[in-house]
Amino acid sequence: MSYHSPLHLLVCLQISPDEINAESILRLKSKLLAEFSLTTDITININGTAYTKDAILKIIDQLKVVDDLTIHKEIYSKTSLLNWMETLHRKYFRLIWQKTS
């Protein structure tokens, strides 16, 4: 399973990761779940990205863990590391696995 930063959702919603706290997470969750209740679609489109209800709830759960949020912020602030963790490492580990198989 590859890493995917939960902060992408915040950026799509034009929310700074520094603005996130327990209260704002609850408001965000309520707002997004309300959007799902207004549509018959299985996804909602946020700034060009489609999210399922399950994906939104998983992201919200990730944001609730303060220690993890600090780590997510650190990774997100380092674009090279973020790109490597989200995409390039899959190719790297696949090559290693193929060599050892």
Side-chain angles (χ1 to χ4, degrees), residues 20-27 64:
I20 292 297
N21 56 41
E23 184 181 321
S24 64
I25 290 171
L26 287 175
R27 280 194 314 258
K64 286 181 184 177

Side-chain angles (χ1 to χ4, degrees), residues 14-96:
Q14 299 176 342
I15 299 171
S16 168
D18 295 328
E19 297 173 13
I20 292 297
N21 56 41
E23 184 181 321
S24 64
I25 290 171
L26 287 175
R27 280 194 314 258
L28 176 63
K29 181 179 181 179
S30 296
K31 177 185 174 185
L32 293 171
L33 290 177
E35 286 192 41
F36 276 105
S37 69
L38 297 173
T39 183
T40 57
D41 296 336
I42 60 170
T43 62
I44 56 173
N45 191 337
I46 301 172
N47 204 22
T49 302
Y51 290 93
T52 63
K53 187 176 182 179
D54 184 56
I56 293 285
L57 292 174
K58 285 180 182 177
I59 291 170
I60 297 294
D61 285 344
Q62 286 180 318
L63 293 174
K64 286 181 184 177
V65 181
V66 175
D67 292 339
D68 288 352
L69 183 57
T70 303
I71 293 168
H72 291 304
K73 286 180 183 179
E74 187 67 26
I75 292 169
Y76 198 83
S77 71
K78 296 176 176 19
T79 308
S80 301
L81 176 61
L82 178 65
N83 290 337
W84 183 79
M85 290 182 73
E86 290 186 333
T87 57
L88 297 179
H89 79 284
R90 284 181 272 170
K91 294 176 187 174
Y92 174 76
F93 289 117
R94 192 175 319 130
L95 288 172
I96 289 177

